[in-house]
């Protein structure tokens, strides 16, 4: 089975904040889940470079725009590394391959009779890179970015978006084109029912962008350009063999502010160009700080390279994935993260691993023989193993993670009930071995299950158990006995 999953490509006008990181963490977790289960997964991320703000930023820095974007590629890659994002494709919209893909899609849409010349008049937000209706503007400012909109009137090429309303509605309502969560799907459906206007897809005399074939004075509108990256990333139009292996895309992961681009404009472009629609779009909420959306434009930002060294990558990943079902906003604070760190990671998971490993060393010099795995714990692990694929296909990552934590807590209760220190004192070595074996088995499977969420910790715990792997695979985890290696503290005390 193949699984092609994409992130929204990020504007290159500034370094990413934790909100952008959140999106990458969601996709990375889903990708790791399927990779771990043997799927042929491709995870795409990248840079959206033809934005007016990118052009302005390069000017401010006195840099050639491409040079500036080259630097930003390094910046983004470094941040994704710091969050353990294991992407397979990093796409840049200034690449020749992408320019070719955009021009090809344009030609197909034009050949389908969906392009005409017209005049556009309206207010434009440079941060949204979109025209704004009066209802979306307050005091001359965009409702999302709180920056002034500017009035534009020019001759452009238009795409007959309005032609596609009915087809898209049918595809959404029949479930062929899935939008999750359901309340976001309902928003899109009611917006569609209100009717669609045609879309201006070029900009007159824009200084920066992809050339429109046969219209020398026009460049493509950034969203028409950017959405096509999902095709370029897997070889369109030159490598159709690879392209048809991975397309249709299984999942686009995006934020709530760009849902109409992905759930209305993008499917219409694909329908017009005669290309199948992606299977699903997953729309996540925003990361907030002090109740306000993290945003490069408003300056309310939180940088991964500030927060990760303080708490560790996995703690940040765990917090964001656990804190809310996908779709809801997450009001981030170091206080809330510390709470989860202490309770769920250090007390529940860290403590379980640390005491089990140190008892195995103390009582058996690290060698724990094969024994019977406590039925109650084993059944719980089995039931989670079998329910996890359903959670993932419904994108219930926070439910999945809390279910795994139930087993961790049960295992801690099991330690208290079996009191291995007492078994050791009374010389009941067979029972003691059974207790430690049951705990080690549980910890091993917990590591397997937590891998997509907290990959570093998972692989580290397995190495304590003498299992060395980069990706824990189910049929490589059938241990008969344990040979415990030295361990280290998984979640050290936080600095005040
Ligand atoms: O929209 N919390 O780029 P972008 C969570 N280039 N997610 C957030 C967020 C926050 N505080 N702020 C932004 C673009 N995002 C376009 C996409 S795709 C063909 C083109 C999310 O850099 C945002 O919702 O502004 C989007 O999904 C992604 O980060 C990139 O945002």
């Amino acid at each position: 089975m193949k699984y092609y999953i994409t992130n929204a490509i990020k504007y290159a006008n500034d370094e990413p904040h934790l909100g952008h990181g959140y999106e990458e963490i969601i996709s990375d977790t889903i990708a790791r889940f399927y990779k771990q289960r043997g799927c042929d997964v491709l995870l795409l991320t990248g840079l959206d470079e033809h934005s007016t703000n990118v052009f302005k930023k390069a000017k401010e820095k006195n840099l050639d725009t491409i040079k500036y974007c080259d630097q930003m590629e390094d910046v983004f890659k470094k941040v994704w590394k710091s969050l353990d994002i294991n992407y397979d494709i990093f796409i840049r919209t200034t690449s020749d391959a992408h320019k070719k893909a955009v021009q090809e899609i344009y030609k197909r849409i034009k050949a389908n009779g969906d392009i005409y010349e017209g005049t556009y008049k309206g207010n434009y937000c440079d941060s949204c890179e979109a025209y704004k209706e009066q209802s979306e503007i307050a005091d001359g400012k965009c409702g999302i970015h709180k920056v002034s909109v500017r009035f534009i009137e020019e001759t452009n090429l238009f795409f007959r978006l309005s032609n596609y309303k009915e087809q898209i509605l049918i595809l959404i309502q029949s479930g062929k084109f899935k939008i999750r969560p359901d309340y976001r799907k309902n928003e899109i459906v009611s917006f569609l029912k209100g009717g669609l206007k045609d879309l201006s897809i070029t900009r007159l005399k824009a200084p920066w962008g992809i050339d429109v074939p046969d219209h020398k004075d026009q460049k493509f509108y950034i969203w028409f350009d950017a959405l096509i990256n999902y095709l370029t990333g897997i070889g369109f139009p030159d490598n159709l063999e690879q392209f048809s292996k991975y397309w249709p895309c299984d999942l686009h992961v995006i934020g709530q502010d760009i849902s109409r681009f992905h759930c209305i404009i993008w499917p219409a472009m694909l329908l017009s160009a005669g290309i199948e629609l992606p299977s699903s779009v997953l729309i996540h909420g925003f990361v907030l700080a002090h109740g306000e959306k993290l945003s490069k434009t408003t300056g309310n930002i939180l940088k991964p390279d500030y927060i990760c060294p303080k708490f560790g990558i996995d703690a940040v990943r765990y917090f964001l994935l656990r804190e809310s079902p996908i779709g809801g906003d997450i009001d981030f604070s170091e206080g809330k993260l510390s709470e989860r760190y202490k309770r769920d990671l250090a007390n529940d998971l860290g403590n379980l691993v640390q005491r089990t490993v140190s008892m195995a060393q103390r009582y058996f010099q690290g060698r724990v023989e094969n024994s019977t795995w406590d039925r109650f714990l084993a059944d719980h692990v089995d039931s989670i193993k079998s329910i996890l694929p359903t959670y993932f296909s419904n994108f219930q990552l926070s439910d999945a993670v809390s279910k795994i934590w139930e087993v961790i807590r049960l295992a801690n209760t099991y330690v208290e009930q079996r009191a291995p220190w007492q078994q050791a004192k009374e010389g009941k070595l067979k029972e003691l071995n059974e207790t430690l074996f049951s705990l080690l088995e549980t910890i091993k499977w917990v590591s397997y299950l937590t891998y997509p969420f907290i990959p570093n910790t998972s692989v580290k715990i397995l190495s304590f158990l003498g299992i060395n792997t980069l990706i824990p695979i189910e049929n490589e985890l059938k241990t008969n006995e344990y040979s415990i290696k030295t361990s280290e503290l998984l979640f050290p005390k936080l600095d005040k």
Side-chain angles (χ1 to χ4, degrees):
M1 182 187 134
K2 66 93 188 168
Y3 198 89
Y4 176 37
I5 171 169
T6 67
N7 287 282
I9 49 169
K10 314 295 184 273
Y11 286 129
N13 63 321
D14 216 334
E15 52 191 289
H17 54 60
L18 198 64
H20 300 119
Y22 174 50
E23 178 170 289
E24 299 279 331
I25 289 170
I26 294 173
S27 314
D28 179 76
T29 303
I30 298 173
R32 282 179 192 268
F33 177 83
Y34 288 109
K35 278 182 188 167
Q36 199 186 5
R37 280 151 190 82
C39 288
D40 178 7
V41 178
L42 282 185
L43 172 61
L44 174 143
T45 190
L47 286 185
D48 190 355
E49 301 174 276
H50 290 127
S51 145
T52 319
N53 286 334
V54 171
F55 182 76
K56 282 189 199 155
K57 193 63 179 269
K59 268 224 144 29
E60 259 170 54
K61 292 191 170 272
N62 232 349
L63 279 175
D64 175 61
T65 321
I66 277 289
K67 280 239 162 60
Y68 168 73
C69 290
D70 290 346
Q71 288 180 0
M72 291 314 282
E73 175 178 4
D74 294 340
V75 169
F76 273 79
K77 285 184 169 171
K78 210 167 136 211
V79 176
W80 298 154
K81 193 157 187 237
S82 80
L83 287 171
D84 243 339
I85 308 300
N86 195 8
Y87 56 84
D88 303 286
I89 306 161
F90 192 98
I91 183 95
R92 288 185 53 180
T93 55
T94 48
S95 65
D96 288 343
H98 180 68
K99 288 178 189 162
K100 196 165 174 191
V102 171
Q103 289 168 343
E104 175 62 25
I105 292 294
Y106 166 74
K107 281 185 204 152
R108 292 190 186 196
I109 293 179
K110 190 175 174 194
N112 198 37
D114 280 334
I115 303 287
Y116 66 91
E117 211 172 279
T119 306
Y120 191 86
K121 260 193 208 174
N123 291 304
Y124 194 81
C125 167
D126 283 326
S127 290
C128 291
E129 290 285 9
Y131 285 109
K132 297 271 126 178
E133 298 292 338
Q134 259 330 313
S135 59
E136 297 170 301
I137 301 171
D139 296 332
K141 293 184 173 167
C142 157
I144 298 178
H145 291 97
K146 321 284 181 223
V147 291
S148 300
V149 293
R150 62 190 169 96
F151 184 78
I152 299 182
E153 178 174 358
E154 60 184 39
T155 302
N156 295 148
L157 295 178
F158 280 72
F159 166 50
R160 290 188 204 282
L161 181 63
S162 56
N163 276 357
Y164 292 92
K165 170 187 150 180
E166 291 305 328
Q167 277 187 69
I168 300 173
L169 266 175
I170 291 169
L171 286 162
I172 295 175
Q173 285 169 331
S174 67
K176 284 203 177 117
F177 177 52
K178 295 185 203 68
I179 301 171
R180 294 283 181 275
D182 276 344
Y183 54 89
R184 294 286 174 212
K185 174 178 88 180
N186 298 340
E187 277 173 14
I188 294 292
V189 166
S190 71
F191 187 81
L192 275 165
K193 285 185 174 161
L196 293 179
K197 284 191 195 158
D198 289 345
L199 177 76
S200 140
I201 57 153
T202 63
R203 295 290 173 266
L204 186 67
K205 301 200 171 81
W208 175 237
I210 299 179
D211 295 333
V212 179
D214 58 39
H215 286 81
K216 283 204 171 61
D217 53 351
Q218 303 271 354
K219 303 264 193 241
F220 281 108
Y221 167 47
I222 189 164
W223 275 99
F224 185 88
D225 155 351
L227 288 160
I228 293 168
N229 90 87
Y230 302 131
L231 306 179
T232 321
I234 50 169
F236 182 87
D238 284 342
N239 187 347
L240 290 180
E241 197 181 323
Q242 170 168 303
F243 176 70
S244 49
K245 185 170 167 206
Y246 291 102
W247 195 265
C249 176
D250 296 276
L251 183 64
H252 290 318
V253 179
I254 58 157
Q256 63 199 49
D257 52 335
I258 58 173
S259 62
R260 288 186 199 164
F261 295 103
H262 284 80
C263 301
I264 298 175
I265 296 175
W266 180 225
M269 286 167 62
L270 289 168
L271 286 168
S272 177
I275 296 175
E276 261 187 272
L277 263 50
S279 311
S280 308
V281 179
L282 176 63
I283 303 172
H284 61 77
F286 287 139
V287 177
L288 318 173
H290 313 293
E292 291 285 328
K293 174 182 184 271
L294 297 185
S295 161
K296 292 187 277 201
T297 316
T298 61
N300 184 27
I301 53 166
L302 198 62
K303 291 190 187 169
D305 57 2
Y306 164 75
I307 209 78
C308 285
K310 273 184 115 166
F311 293 89
I313 304 171
D314 280 355
V316 175
R317 289 176 65 111
Y318 177 82
F319 175 79
L320 292 172
L321 295 166
R322 176 76 192 256
E323 196 62 11
S324 163
I326 295 176
D329 290 342
I330 298 173
D331 200 3
F332 182 91
S333 76
E334 289 194 34
K336 285 192 212 163
L337 174 50
S338 303
E339 275 304 303
R340 286 244 177 245
Y341 182 98
K342 284 187 220 149
R343 193 180 55 225
D344 301 4
L345 296 172
N347 281 353
D348 294 342
L349 178 59
N351 197 17
L352 174 67
V353 173
Q354 239 69 53
R355 59 185 177 167
T356 304
V357 163
S358 65
M359 284 190 286
Q361 280 161 336
R362 186 171 340 130
Y363 302 135
F364 294 118
Q365 291 75 49
R367 293 193 73 82
V368 177
E369 286 171 15
N370 194 2
S371 179
T372 324
W373 183 11
D374 178 80
R375 214 41 273 155
F376 185 66
L377 290 174
D379 285 350
H380 260 84
V381 167
D382 279 349
S383 80
I384 296 175
K385 266 205 237 164
S386 57
I387 200 172
L388 227 56
T390 310
Y391 279 143
F392 269 83
S393 58
N394 293 329
F395 313 116
Q396 293 168 272
L397 303 195
S398 135
D399 289 337
V401 94
S402 49
K403 206 78 200 147
I404 300 170
W405 248 255
E406 280 176 17
V407 173
I408 297 172
R409 292 190 177 127
L410 285 174
N412 275 320
T413 311
Y414 175 83
V415 178
E416 300 306 322
Q417 284 166 348
R418 295 278 294 194
W421 45 89
Q422 198 60 32
Q423 293 172 326
K425 211 172 183 181
E426 294 167 11
K428 294 178 174 165
L429 293 186
K430 189 166 170 290
E431 285 87 340
L432 178 61
N433 187 88
E434 191 178 297
T435 307
L436 293 180
F437 180 81
S438 289
L439 289 169
L440 289 166
E441 274 298 284
T442 310
I443 289 170
K444 178 182 74 186
W445 289 110
V446 159
S447 304
Y448 167 78
L449 295 167
T450 51
Y451 169 77
F453 307 91
I454 47 171
N456 251 302
T457 307
S458 149
V459 166
K460 208 187 266 178
I461 297 174
L462 287 170
S463 78
F464 299 166
L465 307 194
I467 303 166
N468 292 306
T469 177
L470 288 176
I471 302 184
I473 309 287
E474 180 159 14
N475 55 22
E476 286 172 8
L477 295 178
K478 311 233 181 303
T479 342
N480 290 319
E481 60 169 28
Y482 285 94
S483 181
I484 305 301
K485 305 285 172 225
T486 46
S487 63
E488 58 185 273
L489 203 55
L490 287 170
F491 301 102
K493 262 206 160 43
L494 295 171
D495 291 338
K496 279 252 180 311

